[in-house]
PDB file of all heavy atoms in Angstrom:
ATOM      1  N   ASP A  16      79.062  55.391  49.351  1.00  0.00           N
ATOM      2  CA  ASP A  16      80.408  54.914  49.765  1.00  0.00           C
ATOM      3  C   ASP A  16      80.843  53.688  49.077  1.00  0.00           C
ATOM      4  O   ASP A  16      81.851  53.092  49.472  1.00  0.00           O
ATOM      5  CB  ASP A  16      80.335  54.692  51.319  1.00  0.00           C
ATOM      6  CG  ASP A  16      80.260  55.969  52.107  1.00  0.00           C
ATOM      7  OD1 ASP A  16      80.982  56.906  51.800  1.00  0.00           O
ATOM      8  OD2 ASP A  16      79.493  55.973  53.078  1.00  0.00           O
ATOM      9  N   ALA A  17      80.165  53.210  48.065  1.00  0.00           N
ATOM     10  CA  ALA A  17      80.535  51.961  47.419  1.00  0.00           C
ATOM     11  C   ALA A  17      80.230  52.003  45.921  1.00  0.00           C
ATOM     12  O   ALA A  17      79.263  52.670  45.471  1.00  0.00           O
ATOM     13  CB  ALA A  17      79.705  50.796  48.058  1.00  0.00           C
ATOM     14  N   GLU A  18      81.052  51.274  45.216  1.00  0.00           N
ATOM     15  CA  GLU A  18      80.861  51.051  43.801  1.00  0.00           C
ATOM     16  C   GLU A  18      80.117  49.783  43.660  1.00  0.00           C
ATOM     17  O   GLU A  18      80.450  48.729  44.259  1.00  0.00           O
ATOM     18  CB  GLU A  18      82.233  50.964  43.109  1.00  0.00           C
ATOM     19  CG  GLU A  18      82.196  50.754  41.652  1.00  0.00           C
ATOM     20  CD  GLU A  18      83.612  50.544  41.072  1.00  0.00           C
ATOM     21  OE1 GLU A  18      84.287  49.561  41.416  1.00  0.00           O
ATOM     22  OE2 GLU A  18      84.002  51.442  40.313  1.00  0.00           O
ATOM     23  N   LEU A  19      78.951  49.823  42.928  1.00  0.00           N
ATOM     24  CA  LEU A  19      78.059  48.647  42.838  1.00  0.00           C
ATOM     25  C   LEU A  19      77.638  48.402  41.448  1.00  0.00           C
ATOM     26  O   LEU A  19      77.551  49.301  40.568  1.00  0.00           O
ATOM     27  CB  LEU A  19      76.795  48.866  43.705  1.00  0.00           C
ATOM     28  CG  LEU A  19      77.029  49.105  45.216  1.00  0.00           C
ATOM     29  CD1 LEU A  19      75.720  49.643  45.817  1.00  0.00           C
ATOM     30  CD2 LEU A  19      77.523  47.902  45.909  1.00  0.00           C
ATOM     31  N   CYS A  20      77.283  47.114  41.157  1.00  0.00           N
ATOM     32  CA  CYS A  20      76.751  46.759  39.872  1.00  0.00           C
ATOM     33  C   CYS A  20      75.183  46.779  40.003  1.00  0.00           C
ATOM     34  O   CYS A  20      74.641  46.896  41.071  1.00  0.00           O
ATOM     35  CB  CYS A  20      77.197  45.345  39.394  1.00  0.00           C
ATOM     36  SG  CYS A  20      76.609  44.015  40.456  1.00  0.00           S
ATOM     37  N   VAL A  21      74.498  46.744  38.864  1.00  0.00           N
ATOM     38  CA  VAL A  21      73.062  46.813  38.853  1.00  0.00           C
ATOM     39  C   VAL A  21      72.454  45.755  39.752  1.00  0.00           C
ATOM     40  O   VAL A  21      71.483  46.054  40.471  1.00  0.00           O
ATOM     41  CB  VAL A  21      72.526  46.672  37.402  1.00  0.00           C
ATOM     42  CG1 VAL A  21      70.997  46.600  37.370  1.00  0.00           C
ATOM     43  CG2 VAL A  21      72.948  47.846  36.537  1.00  0.00           C
ATOM     44  N   GLY A  22      72.956  44.496  39.675  1.00  0.00           N
ATOM     45  CA  GLY A  22      72.390  43.424  40.481  1.00  0.00           C
ATOM     46  C   GLY A  22      72.471  43.721  41.971  1.00  0.00           C
ATOM     47  O   GLY A  22      71.516  43.483  42.731  1.00  0.00           O
ATOM     48  N   ASP A  23      73.618  44.261  42.404  1.00  0.00           N
ATOM     49  CA  ASP A  23      73.794  44.644  43.832  1.00  0.00           C
ATOM     50  C   ASP A  23      72.779  45.682  44.256  1.00  0.00           C
ATOM     51  O   ASP A  23      72.112  45.596  45.266  1.00  0.00           O
ATOM     52  CB  ASP A  23      75.203  45.167  44.102  1.00  0.00           C
ATOM     53  CG  ASP A  23      76.259  44.081  44.005  1.00  0.00           C
ATOM     54  OD1 ASP A  23      75.913  42.859  44.129  1.00  0.00           O
ATOM     55  OD2 ASP A  23      77.431  44.411  43.812  1.00  0.00           O
ATOM     56  N   ILE A  24      72.671  46.746  43.379  1.00  0.00           N
ATOM     57  CA  ILE A  24      71.739  47.830  43.743  1.00  0.00           C
ATOM     58  C   ILE A  24      70.321  47.323  43.755  1.00  0.00           C
ATOM     59  O   ILE A  24      69.590  47.680  44.690  1.00  0.00           O
ATOM     60  CB  ILE A  24      71.894  48.963  42.646  1.00  0.00           C
ATOM     61  CG1 ILE A  24      73.272  49.611  42.762  1.00  0.00           C
ATOM     62  CG2 ILE A  24      70.813  50.069  42.911  1.00  0.00           C
ATOM     63  CD1 ILE A  24      73.634  50.509  41.552  1.00  0.00           C
ATOM     64  N   SER A  25      69.937  46.489  42.828  1.00  0.00           N
ATOM     65  CA  SER A  25      68.575  46.013  42.799  1.00  0.00           C
ATOM     66  C   SER A  25      68.249  45.101  44.002  1.00  0.00           C
ATOM     67  O   SER A  25      67.156  45.202  44.604  1.00  0.00           O
ATOM     68  CB  SER A  25      68.221  45.259  41.519  1.00  0.00           C
ATOM     69  OG  SER A  25      68.922  44.088  41.400  1.00  0.00           O
ATOM     70  N   ASN A  26      69.233  44.340  44.453  1.00  0.00           N
ATOM     71  CA  ASN A  26      69.072  43.524  45.689  1.00  0.00           C
ATOM     72  C   ASN A  26      68.965  44.371  46.934  1.00  0.00           C
ATOM     73  O   ASN A  26      68.114  44.149  47.778  1.00  0.00           O
ATOM     74  CB  ASN A  26      70.227  42.503  45.828  1.00  0.00           C
ATOM     75  CG  ASN A  26      70.063  41.346  44.850  1.00  0.00           C
ATOM     76  OD1 ASN A  26      68.949  40.953  44.510  1.00  0.00           O
ATOM     77  ND2 ASN A  26      71.227  40.803  44.504  1.00  0.00           N
ATOM     78  N   ILE A  27      69.823  45.372  47.011  1.00  0.00           N
ATOM     79  CA  ILE A  27      69.838  46.249  48.181  1.00  0.00           C
ATOM     80  C   ILE A  27      68.506  47.037  48.330  1.00  0.00           C
ATOM     81  O   ILE A  27      67.957  47.133  49.385  1.00  0.00           O
ATOM     82  CB  ILE A  27      71.037  47.269  48.146  1.00  0.00           C
ATOM     83  CG1 ILE A  27      72.354  46.504  48.290  1.00  0.00           C
ATOM     84  CG2 ILE A  27      70.894  48.347  49.131  1.00  0.00           C
ATOM     85  CD1 ILE A  27      73.561  47.344  47.914  1.00  0.00           C
ATOM     86  N   LEU A  28      68.033  47.523  47.197  1.00  0.00           N
ATOM     87  CA  LEU A  28      66.855  48.372  47.160  1.00  0.00           C
ATOM     88  C   LEU A  28      65.561  47.604  46.931  1.00  0.00           C
ATOM     89  O   LEU A  28      64.498  48.196  46.972  1.00  0.00           O
ATOM     90  CB  LEU A  28      67.013  49.482  46.136  1.00  0.00           C
ATOM     91  CG  LEU A  28      68.229  50.410  46.315  1.00  0.00           C
ATOM     92  CD1 LEU A  28      68.256  51.470  45.234  1.00  0.00           C
ATOM     93  CD2 LEU A  28      68.185  51.051  47.716  1.00  0.00           C
ATOM     94  N   LYS A  29      65.666  46.311  46.673  1.00  0.00           N
ATOM     95  CA  LYS A  29      64.495  45.489  46.444  1.00  0.00           C
ATOM     96  C   LYS A  29      63.672  46.034  45.213  1.00  0.00           C
ATOM     97  O   LYS A  29      62.472  46.192  45.245  1.00  0.00           O
ATOM     98  CB  LYS A  29      63.540  45.404  47.679  1.00  0.00           C
ATOM     99  CG  LYS A  29      64.231  45.040  48.956  1.00  0.00           C
ATOM    100  CD  LYS A  29      64.593  43.561  48.957  1.00  0.00           C
ATOM    101  CE  LYS A  29      65.097  43.135  50.358  1.00  0.00           C
ATOM    102  NZ  LYS A  29      66.494  43.180  50.553  1.00  0.00           N
ATOM    103  N   LEU A  30      64.380  46.330  44.138  1.00  0.00           N
ATOM    104  CA  LEU A  30      63.853  46.810  42.908  1.00  0.00           C
ATOM    105  C   LEU A  30      64.308  45.905  41.781  1.00  0.00           C
ATOM    106  O   LEU A  30      65.289  45.236  41.869  1.00  0.00           O
ATOM    107  CB  LEU A  30      64.312  48.256  42.605  1.00  0.00           C
ATOM    108  CG  LEU A  30      63.946  49.323  43.598  1.00  0.00           C
ATOM    109  CD1 LEU A  30      64.723  50.610  43.318  1.00  0.00           C
ATOM    110  CD2 LEU A  30      62.450  49.588  43.552  1.00  0.00           C
ATOM    111  N   SER A  31      63.538  45.914  40.673  1.00  0.00           N
ATOM    112  CA  SER A  31      63.925  45.116  39.525  1.00  0.00           C
ATOM    113  C   SER A  31      65.190  45.721  38.902  1.00  0.00           C
ATOM    114  O   SER A  31      65.427  46.903  38.991  1.00  0.00           O
ATOM    115  CB  SER A  31      62.818  45.044  38.491  1.00  0.00           C
ATOM    116  OG  SER A  31      62.659  46.308  37.849  1.00  0.00           O
ATOM    117  N   GLN A  32      65.979  44.794  38.257  1.00  0.00           N
ATOM    118  CA  GLN A  32      67.171  45.263  37.554  1.00  0.00           C
ATOM    119  C   GLN A  32      66.810  46.264  36.445  1.00  0.00           C
ATOM    120  O   GLN A  32      67.554  47.203  36.168  1.00  0.00           O
ATOM    121  CB  GLN A  32      67.967  44.113  37.016  1.00  0.00           C
ATOM    122  CG  GLN A  32      68.669  43.355  38.148  1.00  0.00           C
ATOM    123  CD  GLN A  32      69.727  42.339  37.611  1.00  0.00           C
ATOM    124  OE1 GLN A  32      70.033  42.350  36.414  1.00  0.00           O
ATOM    125  NE2 GLN A  32      70.224  41.513  38.472  1.00  0.00           N
ATOM    126  N   SER A  33      65.697  45.989  35.800  1.00  0.00           N
ATOM    127  CA  SER A  33      65.204  46.886  34.733  1.00  0.00           C
ATOM    128  C   SER A  33      64.953  48.295  35.275  1.00  0.00           C
ATOM    129  O   SER A  33      65.359  49.301  34.635  1.00  0.00           O
ATOM    130  CB  SER A  33      63.939  46.308  34.120  1.00  0.00           C
ATOM    131  OG  SER A  33      63.403  47.220  33.183  1.00  0.00           O
ATOM    132  N   SER A  34      64.276  48.405  36.374  1.00  0.00           N
ATOM    133  CA  SER A  34      63.997  49.649  37.008  1.00  0.00           C
ATOM    134  C   SER A  34      65.275  50.399  37.418  1.00  0.00           C
ATOM    135  O   SER A  34      65.485  51.605  37.181  1.00  0.00           O
ATOM    136  CB  SER A  34      63.109  49.441  38.208  1.00  0.00           C
ATOM    137  OG  SER A  34      62.949  50.704  38.926  1.00  0.00           O
ATOM    138  N   VAL A  35      66.197  49.654  38.027  1.00  0.00           N
ATOM    139  CA  VAL A  35      67.492  50.265  38.446  1.00  0.00           C
ATOM    140  C   VAL A  35      68.273  50.715  37.185  1.00  0.00           C
ATOM    141  O   VAL A  35      68.781  51.848  37.205  1.00  0.00           O
ATOM    142  CB  VAL A  35      68.293  49.266  39.252  1.00  0.00           C
ATOM    143  CG1 VAL A  35      69.748  49.726  39.494  1.00  0.00           C
ATOM    144  CG2 VAL A  35      67.613  49.022  40.595  1.00  0.00           C
ATOM    145  N   SER A  36      68.315  49.924  36.188  1.00  0.00           N
ATOM    146  CA  SER A  36      69.023  50.247  34.960  1.00  0.00           C
ATOM    147  C   SER A  36      68.477  51.510  34.327  1.00  0.00           C
ATOM    148  O   SER A  36      69.224  52.413  33.863  1.00  0.00           O
ATOM    149  CB  SER A  36      68.992  49.109  33.915  1.00  0.00           C
ATOM    150  OG  SER A  36      69.723  48.030  34.352  1.00  0.00           O
ATOM    151  N   HIS A  37      67.136  51.647  34.305  1.00  0.00           N
ATOM    152  CA  HIS A  37      66.505  52.783  33.724  1.00  0.00           C
ATOM    153  C   HIS A  37      66.887  54.080  34.505  1.00  0.00           C
ATOM    154  O   HIS A  37      67.290  55.131  33.931  1.00  0.00           O
ATOM    155  CB  HIS A  37      64.973  52.643  33.760  1.00  0.00           C
ATOM    156  CG  HIS A  37      64.227  53.869  33.398  1.00  0.00           C
ATOM    157  ND1 HIS A  37      64.170  54.346  32.103  1.00  0.00           N
ATOM    158  CD2 HIS A  37      63.536  54.788  34.171  1.00  0.00           C
ATOM    159  CE1 HIS A  37      63.478  55.454  32.066  1.00  0.00           C
ATOM    160  NE2 HIS A  37      63.046  55.738  33.314  1.00  0.00           N
ATOM    161  N   GLN A  38      66.872  53.998  35.875  1.00  0.00           N
ATOM    162  CA  GLN A  38      67.217  55.148  36.686  1.00  0.00           C
ATOM    163  C   GLN A  38      68.702  55.483  36.573  1.00  0.00           C
ATOM    164  O   GLN A  38      69.090  56.623  36.621  1.00  0.00           O
ATOM    165  CB  GLN A  38      66.832  54.899  38.177  1.00  0.00           C
ATOM    166  CG  GLN A  38      65.300  54.720  38.354  1.00  0.00           C
ATOM    167  CD  GLN A  38      64.513  55.888  37.892  1.00  0.00           C
ATOM    168  OE1 GLN A  38      64.976  57.020  37.824  1.00  0.00           O
ATOM    169  NE2 GLN A  38      63.235  55.670  37.585  1.00  0.00           N
ATOM    170  N   LEU A  39      69.528  54.462  36.528  1.00  0.00           N
ATOM    171  CA  LEU A  39      70.947  54.688  36.393  1.00  0.00           C
ATOM    172  C   LEU A  39      71.283  55.406  35.037  1.00  0.00           C
ATOM    173  O   LEU A  39      72.166  56.291  35.008  1.00  0.00           O
ATOM    174  CB  LEU A  39      71.773  53.375  36.451  1.00  0.00           C
ATOM    175  CG  LEU A  39      71.959  52.823  37.822  1.00  0.00           C
ATOM    176  CD1 LEU A  39      72.466  51.383  37.756  1.00  0.00           C
ATOM    177  CD2 LEU A  39      72.938  53.670  38.602  1.00  0.00           C
ATOM    178  N   ARG A  40      70.528  55.115  34.011  1.00  0.00           N
ATOM    179  CA  ARG A  40      70.749  55.760  32.760  1.00  0.00           C
ATOM    180  C   ARG A  40      70.469  57.218  32.853  1.00  0.00           C
ATOM    181  O   ARG A  40      71.190  58.132  32.355  1.00  0.00           O
ATOM    182  CB  ARG A  40      69.833  55.135  31.649  1.00  0.00           C
ATOM    183  CG  ARG A  40      70.110  55.652  30.265  1.00  0.00           C
ATOM    184  CD  ARG A  40      69.348  54.954  29.170  1.00  0.00           C
ATOM    185  NE  ARG A  40      69.249  53.473  29.464  1.00  0.00           N
ATOM    186  CZ  ARG A  40      68.129  52.837  29.738  1.00  0.00           C
ATOM    187  NH1 ARG A  40      67.000  53.472  29.852  1.00  0.00           N
ATOM    188  NH2 ARG A  40      68.092  51.552  29.987  1.00  0.00           N
ATOM    189  N   ILE A  41      69.364  57.579  33.597  1.00  0.00           N
ATOM    190  CA  ILE A  41      68.995  58.999  33.807  1.00  0.00           C
ATOM    191  C   ILE A  41      70.090  59.669  34.640  1.00  0.00           C
ATOM    192  O   ILE A  41      70.576  60.798  34.322  1.00  0.00           O
ATOM    193  CB  ILE A  41      67.660  59.121  34.531  1.00  0.00           C
ATOM    194  CG1 ILE A  41      66.550  58.657  33.560  1.00  0.00           C
ATOM    195  CG2 ILE A  41      67.377  60.521  34.996  1.00  0.00           C
ATOM    196  CD1 ILE A  41      65.196  58.468  34.180  1.00  0.00           C
ATOM    197  N   LEU A  42      70.565  59.036  35.703  1.00  0.00           N
ATOM    198  CA  LEU A  42      71.648  59.594  36.527  1.00  0.00           C
ATOM    199  C   LEU A  42      72.927  59.746  35.740  1.00  0.00           C
ATOM    200  O   LEU A  42      73.632  60.752  35.940  1.00  0.00           O
ATOM    201  CB  LEU A  42      71.803  58.700  37.765  1.00  0.00           C
ATOM    202  CG  LEU A  42      70.644  58.666  38.790  1.00  0.00           C
ATOM    203  CD1 LEU A  42      70.832  57.534  39.770  1.00  0.00           C
ATOM    204  CD2 LEU A  42      70.498  60.024  39.486  1.00  0.00           C
ATOM    205  N   LYS A  43      73.218  58.826  34.952  1.00  0.00           N
ATOM    206  CA  LYS A  43      74.462  58.887  34.144  1.00  0.00           C
ATOM    207  C   LYS A  43      74.371  60.001  33.145  1.00  0.00           C
ATOM    208  O   LYS A  43      75.328  60.779  32.964  1.00  0.00           O
ATOM    209  CB  LYS A  43      74.716  57.547  33.462  1.00  0.00           C
ATOM    210  CG  LYS A  43      76.030  57.488  32.625  1.00  0.00           C
ATOM    211  CD  LYS A  43      76.313  56.106  32.058  1.00  0.00           C
ATOM    212  CE  LYS A  43      75.297  55.582  31.114  1.00  0.00           C
ATOM    213  NZ  LYS A  43      75.223  56.151  29.811  1.00  0.00           N
ATOM    214  N   ASP A  44      73.212  60.116  32.431  1.00  0.00           N
ATOM    215  CA  ASP A  44      73.032  61.165  31.422  1.00  0.00           C
ATOM    216  C   ASP A  44      73.134  62.581  32.043  1.00  0.00           C
ATOM    217  O   ASP A  44      73.490  63.532  31.354  1.00  0.00           O
ATOM    218  CB  ASP A  44      71.677  61.007  30.746  1.00  0.00           C
ATOM    219  CG  ASP A  44      71.596  59.784  29.822  1.00  0.00           C
ATOM    220  OD1 ASP A  44      72.678  59.201  29.511  1.00  0.00           O
ATOM    221  OD2 ASP A  44      70.475  59.445  29.405  1.00  0.00           O
ATOM    222  N   ASN A  45      72.823  62.642  33.308  1.00  0.00           N
ATOM    223  CA  ASN A  45      72.897  63.950  34.027  1.00  0.00           C
ATOM    224  C   ASN A  45      74.150  64.085  34.872  1.00  0.00           C
ATOM    225  O   ASN A  45      74.239  64.979  35.720  1.00  0.00           O
ATOM    226  CB  ASN A  45      71.665  64.144  34.875  1.00  0.00           C
ATOM    227  CG  ASN A  45      70.413  64.448  34.034  1.00  0.00           C
ATOM    228  OD1 ASN A  45      70.281  65.559  33.628  1.00  0.00           O
ATOM    229  ND2 ASN A  45      69.679  63.372  33.699  1.00  0.00           N
ATOM    230  N   LYS A  46      75.133  63.231  34.603  1.00  0.00           N
ATOM    231  CA  LYS A  46      76.450  63.308  35.188  1.00  0.00           C
ATOM    232  C   LYS A  46      76.427  63.247  36.736  1.00  0.00           C
ATOM    233  O   LYS A  46      77.226  63.853  37.432  1.00  0.00           O
ATOM    234  CB  LYS A  46      77.184  64.552  34.724  1.00  0.00           C
ATOM    235  CG  LYS A  46      77.377  64.633  33.215  1.00  0.00           C
ATOM    236  CD  LYS A  46      78.056  65.890  32.832  1.00  0.00           C
ATOM    237  CE  LYS A  46      78.265  65.894  31.334  1.00  0.00           C
ATOM    238  NZ  LYS A  46      77.483  66.965  30.683  1.00  0.00           N
ATOM    239  N   LEU A  47      75.536  62.398  37.237  1.00  0.00           N
ATOM    240  CA  LEU A  47      75.490  62.176  38.713  1.00  0.00           C
ATOM    241  C   LEU A  47      76.134  60.853  39.096  1.00  0.00           C
ATOM    242  O   LEU A  47      76.613  60.723  40.208  1.00  0.00           O
ATOM    243  CB  LEU A  47      74.055  62.261  39.186  1.00  0.00           C
ATOM    244  CG  LEU A  47      73.361  63.617  38.994  1.00  0.00           C
ATOM    245  CD1 LEU A  47      71.909  63.576  39.369  1.00  0.00           C
ATOM    246  CD2 LEU A  47      74.093  64.718  39.805  1.00  0.00           C
ATOM    247  N   VAL A  48      76.175  59.936  38.173  1.00  0.00           N
ATOM    248  CA  VAL A  48      76.909  58.651  38.363  1.00  0.00           C
ATOM    249  C   VAL A  48      77.813  58.406  37.132  1.00  0.00           C
ATOM    250  O   VAL A  48      77.568  58.933  36.065  1.00  0.00           O
ATOM    251  CB  VAL A  48      75.961  57.453  38.590  1.00  0.00           C
ATOM    252  CG1 VAL A  48      75.111  57.635  39.802  1.00  0.00           C
ATOM    253  CG2 VAL A  48      75.154  57.143  37.395  1.00  0.00           C
ATOM    254  N   LYS A  49      78.847  57.660  37.398  1.00  0.00           N
ATOM    255  CA  LYS A  49      79.759  57.204  36.317  1.00  0.00           C
ATOM    256  C   LYS A  49      79.842  55.694  36.423  1.00  0.00           C
ATOM    257  O   LYS A  49      79.396  55.109  37.392  1.00  0.00           O
ATOM    258  CB  LYS A  49      81.105  57.889  36.456  1.00  0.00           C
ATOM    259  CG  LYS A  49      81.844  57.549  37.722  1.00  0.00           C
ATOM    260  CD  LYS A  49      83.093  58.326  37.908  1.00  0.00           C
ATOM    261  CE  LYS A  49      83.724  58.039  39.228  1.00  0.00           C
ATOM    262  NZ  LYS A  49      84.958  58.822  39.448  1.00  0.00           N
ATOM    263  N   PHE A  50      80.415  55.113  35.364  1.00  0.00           N
ATOM    264  CA  PHE A  50      80.515  53.653  35.427  1.00  0.00           C
ATOM    265  C   PHE A  50      81.895  53.258  34.847  1.00  0.00           C
ATOM    266  O   PHE A  50      82.541  54.029  34.173  1.00  0.00           O
ATOM    267  CB  PHE A  50      79.406  53.025  34.541  1.00  0.00           C
ATOM    268  CG  PHE A  50      79.532  53.270  33.106  1.00  0.00           C
ATOM    269  CD1 PHE A  50      80.200  52.362  32.250  1.00  0.00           C
ATOM    270  CD2 PHE A  50      79.045  54.434  32.492  1.00  0.00           C
ATOM    271  CE1 PHE A  50      80.332  52.546  30.910  1.00  0.00           C
ATOM    272  CE2 PHE A  50      79.166  54.639  31.137  1.00  0.00           C
ATOM    273  CZ  PHE A  50      79.779  53.744  30.359  1.00  0.00           C
ATOM    274  N   ARG A  51      82.246  52.021  35.207  1.00  0.00           N
ATOM    275  CA  ARG A  51      83.419  51.387  34.639  1.00  0.00           C
ATOM    276  C   ARG A  51      83.092  49.974  34.339  1.00  0.00           C
ATOM    277  O   ARG A  51      82.300  49.333  34.982  1.00  0.00           O
ATOM    278  CB  ARG A  51      84.634  51.487  35.545  1.00  0.00           C
ATOM    279  CG  ARG A  51      84.596  50.629  36.787  1.00  0.00           C
ATOM    280  CD  ARG A  51      85.898  50.640  37.575  1.00  0.00           C
ATOM    281  NE  ARG A  51      85.729  49.744  38.703  1.00  0.00           N
ATOM    282  CZ  ARG A  51      85.917  48.437  38.688  1.00  0.00           C
ATOM    283  NH1 ARG A  51      86.257  47.812  37.606  1.00  0.00           N
ATOM    284  NH2 ARG A  51      85.711  47.730  39.793  1.00  0.00           N
ATOM    285  N   ARG A  52      83.646  49.485  33.248  1.00  0.00           N
ATOM    286  CA  ARG A  52      83.414  48.119  32.767  1.00  0.00           C
ATOM    287  C   ARG A  52      84.535  47.247  33.249  1.00  0.00           C
ATOM    288  O   ARG A  52      85.724  47.591  33.124  1.00  0.00           O
ATOM    289  CB  ARG A  52      83.298  48.094  31.271  1.00  0.00           C
ATOM    290  CG  ARG A  52      82.801  46.801  30.709  1.00  0.00           C
ATOM    291  CD  ARG A  52      82.601  46.957  29.156  1.00  0.00           C
ATOM    292  NE  ARG A  52      81.663  47.947  28.778  1.00  0.00           N
ATOM    293  CZ  ARG A  52      80.351  47.772  28.711  1.00  0.00           C
ATOM    294  NH1 ARG A  52      79.833  46.564  28.974  1.00  0.00           N
ATOM    295  NH2 ARG A  52      79.533  48.697  28.299  1.00  0.00           N
ATOM    296  N   ASP A  53      84.190  46.057  33.795  1.00  0.00           N
ATOM    297  CA  ASP A  53      85.186  45.057  34.185  1.00  0.00           C
ATOM    298  C   ASP A  53      84.718  43.748  33.588  1.00  0.00           C
ATOM    299  O   ASP A  53      83.852  43.061  34.155  1.00  0.00           O
ATOM    300  CB  ASP A  53      85.279  44.977  35.709  1.00  0.00           C
ATOM    301  CG  ASP A  53      86.379  44.047  36.193  1.00  0.00           C
ATOM    302  OD1 ASP A  53      87.169  43.607  35.341  1.00  0.00           O
ATOM    303  OD2 ASP A  53      86.355  43.704  37.397  1.00  0.00           O
ATOM    304  N   GLY A  54      85.192  43.419  32.457  1.00  0.00           N
ATOM    305  CA  GLY A  54      84.749  42.267  31.705  1.00  0.00           C
ATOM    306  C   GLY A  54      83.314  42.478  31.250  1.00  0.00           C
ATOM    307  O   GLY A  54      82.968  43.476  30.630  1.00  0.00           O
ATOM    308  N   LYS A  55      82.439  41.604  31.650  1.00  0.00           N
ATOM    309  CA  LYS A  55      81.007  41.735  31.335  1.00  0.00           C
ATOM    310  C   LYS A  55      80.232  42.583  32.374  1.00  0.00           C
ATOM    311  O   LYS A  55      79.101  42.925  32.165  1.00  0.00           O
ATOM    312  CB  LYS A  55      80.343  40.366  31.200  1.00  0.00           C
ATOM    313  CG  LYS A  55      80.805  39.594  30.022  1.00  0.00           C
ATOM    314  CD  LYS A  55      80.039  38.298  29.883  1.00  0.00           C
ATOM    315  CE  LYS A  55      80.530  37.548  28.619  1.00  0.00           C
ATOM    316  NZ  LYS A  55      79.714  36.350  28.434  1.00  0.00           N
TER     317      LYS A  55
END
């Protein structure tokens, strides 16, 4: 129900940003998540 950045996800799930980024890449490659850039 929310759009989140890697830092938010890692804090919520108590996971490293590296781990979250790796899993997001897999989810993105499989068209399960999308992203948008807002500045940095």
Side-chain angles (χ1 to χ4, degrees):
D16 288 318
E18 181 183 65
L19 301 168
C20 66
V21 173
D23 291 339
I24 297 168
S25 68
N26 285 331
I27 292 166
L28 301 180
K29 310 287 189 267
L30 296 169
S31 71
Q32 287 192 12
S33 172
S34 174
V35 169
S36 292
H37 173 73
Q38 298 301 335
L39 282 167
R40 189 173 321 111
I41 292 169
L42 293 168
K43 183 174 62 71
D44 289 348
N45 286 277
K46 299 179 181 116
L47 297 174
V48 299
K49 61 186 176 184
F50 69 94
R51 71 172 179 85
R52 191 175 299 273
D53 185 12
K55 291 185 178 183

